[in-house]
Amino acid sequence: MPDQTFYVTTPIYYVNDAPHIGHGYTTVMGDIITRWHRQRGEDVWYLTGTDEHGLKVLRKAEQNGMTPQEWADRLIETEWMPLLETIDVANDDFIRTTEERHLVGSKAFWQDLYDRGAVYKGEFSGWYSVGAEEFVGDDDVLDGEGEDEGFKVSALDGSRLEHVTEENYFFKLSEYQQALLDLYEQNPDFIQPASARNEVISFVQRGLKDLSMSRSTFDWGIQVPWDEKHVMYVWIEALLNYVTAIGYGTDQDAFEKRWPASIHLVGKDIARFHAVIWPAMLMAAGQPVPHQVFAHGWLLVGGQKMSKSKANGIRPDEIVGTFGSDAYRYYFARAITFGSDGSISWEDIHARYHAELANGFGNLASRVASMIGSYFDGSLPAAGELTDAEQRVVGTIESAVADADAAIEAVAPQDALAAIWRVVDELNGYLTEQAPWKVAKEEGQRERLATILVTAAEGLRALAVLLNPVMPKACASLWESLGAEPALGNLADQRIADVARWGQLPEGTTITKVPSLFPRIET
């Protein structure tokens, strides 16, 4: 898609409470992917935001003695916007569903559906999960147990259900069953990973029912344009953020530039909304569907999915406050296979921080700067002829760049980091094998010593660029240490395709030792 914006979205997050690391996980993975594509030189647009309507938000606000708007405004200011700074996210836009552009765009989309005959009036009677803001079919209704005894609960996520009967507008979802199955067959990568794809196909093959897409028993939401007694069902309205944020109904040129989205990143529990309902709505409105929906797994703490009832939720700032934002970003990208469930623990974060970041990467950068400072007064010398040992380093970097780039294309940040870390391991092994501290004591080996240290510095230059999407603060510090900005320009402007081009740091570049990239932490 060379002529189109690389447009990536996160789900918009409910403002019924403060963010936890699950929200941070999705947002950071999207940030890593979009930073990488920026360093490819692509036109990138990264969207995140908040979902502020619906019954769940209304009730939470009432419990706290506020209006829903006051509650949302407070949480946005004190929790959700600070989260982006805490985990160092470089998003291009932040959409709130209470914004005017979303209201106008949502009404325009609904009116289009109505005018095209995709909507009709009816009555809904059945089970509704306030916790998930989701209508639940009879097949997924269970009798509650334990604390939920006496209630009905959803088999989908365990949330309590309420039985409601009300007049609603319905979307003719059932008419799009075959069109959706054709979409999945013709575009095998539309919904990934394979586990999510298989589940979605199985769900659609069982048959689709028309979807209630409005509510008439409360008024916290966007009014249906042709019937003000109804507000839009919060999930239908939330999905529209992906188009209203980029100009649908308000700026047609901007919308056409960025739509369709390249990737919707979502949790696996909301894959059906994004891979079934959303493309059907777009088809009904005559709009192209996104290129891909990628559904990642859950973060498990103590083997269980995080939830308030289990008291096992972890706030992002708890981890960042101890290990820093770079380590936070690195850990979740490295330790968990994106697309699968992943267990996390403080012990594992601590172990990886010291073994991989402090000892592996940080110590490497410190050693190289120290040796150039000691043996060449901090001025990068001229390298001599490269031997097989140096050619192995060059080859490792070349293969790492290709493999990491392919992994990012496949939405596999963990594989990209594994490829890049081969360079870290290669450089550490190279220095151990070449032992420049011994070469420095040998007469007539000045050029050989220079070649070893220039090779290590060039390897660090490559690592600064390759790891910048993951650990921007540490890599900016490393870039400064290498004296690279005066010679090569801003780190963010370095291109992935140029990383493996050897000999970019000029002779005479001043190498300085900066504070430790990853100082040891006692917890």
Side-chain angles (χ1 to χ4, degrees):
M1 300 173 290
D3 297 327
Q4 188 205 331
T5 300
F6 182 72
Y7 176 33
V8 178
T9 71
T10 72
I12 52 173
Y13 304 116
Y14 277 130
V15 294
N16 63 309
D17 214 332
H20 56 62
I21 55 172
H23 304 111
Y25 178 51
T26 314
T27 309
V28 161
M29 294 306 104
D31 190 60
I32 290 171
I33 291 166
T34 48
R35 283 180 187 258
W36 184 279
H37 279 264
R38 285 192 189 98
Q39 291 206 203
R40 279 181 168 182
E42 297 177 17
D43 178 15
V44 172
W45 197 257
Y46 183 34
L47 173 71
T48 188
T50 47
D51 185 359
E52 302 174 21
H53 289 133
L55 187 56
K56 182 163 59 173
V57 174
L58 174 62
R59 289 183 178 178
K60 190 71 174 183
E62 290 173 343
Q63 291 169 14
N64 286 273
M66 297 182 180
T67 68
Q69 189 66 65
E70 289 171 340
W71 173 256
D73 289 345
R74 191 186 78 165
L75 272 182
I76 298 300
E77 180 181 352
T78 62
E79 297 286 353
W80 289 94
M81 295 304 289
L83 169 68
L84 300 177
E85 183 176 350
T86 297
I87 58 179
D88 209 2
V89 170
N91 57 301
D92 297 285
D93 197 0
F94 188 96
I95 181 73
R96 297 182 58 180
T97 56
T98 51
E99 290 181 60
E100 182 70 13
R101 58 174 170 163
H102 181 69
L103 184 150
V104 173
S106 295
K107 287 190 173 186
F109 195 100
W110 270 58
Q111 189 65 54
D112 201 21
L113 291 181
Y114 186 75
D115 293 344
R116 290 167 174 261
V119 177
Y120 65 91
K121 198 172 190 178
E123 183 180 84
F124 174 82
S125 182
W127 297 99
Y128 188 77
S129 165
V130 177
E133 293 283 13
E134 180 179 7
F135 296 102
V136 177
D138 291 341
D139 293 343
D140 290 317
V141 176
L142 303 175
D143 292 323
E145 299 178 353
E147 294 182 354
D148 295 319
E149 187 174 356
F151 294 90
K152 296 293 186 181
V153 297
S154 169
L156 302 176
D157 63 0
S159 58
R160 288 184 182 180
L161 302 177
E162 299 177 7
H163 198 275
V164 297
T165 299
E166 61 183 52
E167 179 186 79
N168 288 343
Y169 284 94
F170 285 77
F171 169 57
K172 297 178 180 179
L173 180 63
S174 60
E175 294 185 358
Y176 293 89
Q177 179 176 348
Q178 190 56 51
L180 289 168
L181 292 174
D182 292 344
L183 170 66
Y184 308 146
E185 181 179 357
Q186 294 163 12
N187 299 276
D189 291 334
F190 174 75
I191 172 70
Q192 287 292 313
S195 56
R197 171 181 163 81
N198 293 338
E199 180 183 327
V200 165
I201 290 175
S202 176
F203 174 76
V204 175
Q205 286 175 336
R206 292 199 299 269
L208 297 176
K209 296 180 180 179
D210 290 349
L211 176 69
S212 173
M213 58 186 299
S214 72
R215 303 297 306 275
S216 58
T217 55
F218 61 92
D219 62 1
W220 179 238
I222 297 177
Q223 292 178 324
V224 172
W226 63 86
D227 189 340
E228 295 184 352
K229 297 196 299 287
H230 291 251
V231 295
M232 302 177 190
Y233 168 40
V234 64
W235 254 111
I236 298 293
E237 179 217 316
L239 289 166
L240 292 172
N241 92 90
Y242 304 128
V243 295
T244 62
I246 57 170
Y248 186 95
T250 56
D251 187 340
Q252 186 65 20
D253 289 342
F255 173 69
E256 290 179 356
K257 175 184 177 183
R258 297 192 175 114
W259 191 256
S262 305
I263 309 173
H264 289 321
L265 296 177
V266 302
K268 66 179 184 180
D269 51 334
I270 57 174
R272 290 182 186 177
F273 289 100
H274 289 81
V276 179
I277 297 171
W278 180 224
M281 289 170 58
L282 289 163
M283 291 174 184
Q287 297 293 340
V289 300
H291 292 285
Q292 186 175 74
V293 175
F294 194 97
H296 66 73
W298 289 332
L299 298 181
L300 307 177
V301 179
Q304 295 182 310
K305 183 180 180 235
M306 287 184 302
S307 73
K308 290 181 67 177
S309 63
K310 297 187 180 77
N312 65 349
I314 302 173
R315 289 173 56 103
D317 53 13
E318 294 179 83
I319 299 175
V320 173
T322 301
F323 297 100
S325 61
D326 281 342
Y328 178 100
R329 294 164 62 92
Y330 172 83
Y331 177 76
F332 287 104
R334 176 83 152 132
I336 299 167
T337 297
F338 198 55
S340 302
D341 293 347
S343 292
I344 67 167
S345 69
W346 282 96
E347 293 79 8
D348 191 38
I349 299 172
H350 185 271
R352 285 181 178 271
Y353 177 91
H354 287 96
E356 298 169 16
L357 295 180
N359 296 338
F361 179 40
N363 189 46
L364 170 66
S366 179
R367 291 163 68 201
V368 173
S370 292
M371 287 188 286
I372 294 175
S374 297
Y375 303 139
F376 293 96
D377 296 324
S379 178
L380 191 70
E385 185 176 346
L386 303 188
T387 70
D388 288 346
E390 287 75 54
Q391 294 294 354
R392 281 198 303 272
V393 173
V394 174
T396 298
I397 293 172
E398 289 175 346
S399 66
V401 171
D403 292 348
D405 197 48
I408 292 293
E409 191 70 25
V411 198
Q414 73 285 345
D415 293 339
L417 263 178
I420 296 167
W421 223 251
R422 298 202 305 261
V423 179
V424 176
D425 294 338
E426 175 68 31
L427 287 173
N428 277 314
Y430 169 78
L431 288 177
T432 299
E433 180 184 88
Q434 300 303 315
W437 49 91
K438 293 182 181 179
V439 176
K441 298 176 183 178
E442 300 174 6
E443 289 188 16
Q445 293 298 308
R446 187 76 172 164
E447 183 179 274
R448 180 62 194 155
L449 177 63
T451 302
I452 295 169
L453 294 180
V454 169
T455 298
E458 276 290 296
L460 286 172
R461 172 196 56 77
L463 285 173
V465 178
L466 294 172
L467 289 172
N468 186 49
V470 182
M471 298 183 285
K473 289 180 178 176
C475 290
S477 184
L478 176 57
W479 198 247
E480 178 186 350
S481 170
L482 294 170
E485 181 148 353
L488 305 179
N490 188 277
L491 176 57
D493 294 333
Q494 306 305 303
R495 294 291 168 254
I496 297 297
D498 296 332
V499 168
R501 182 166 52 82
W502 202 248
Q504 293 187 41
L505 291 172
E507 177 187 353
T509 296
T510 299
I511 308 296
T512 57
K513 187 174 180 180
V514 298
S516 176
L517 299 182
F518 298 99
R520 293 193 62 82
I521 295 171
E522 299 300 330
T523 58

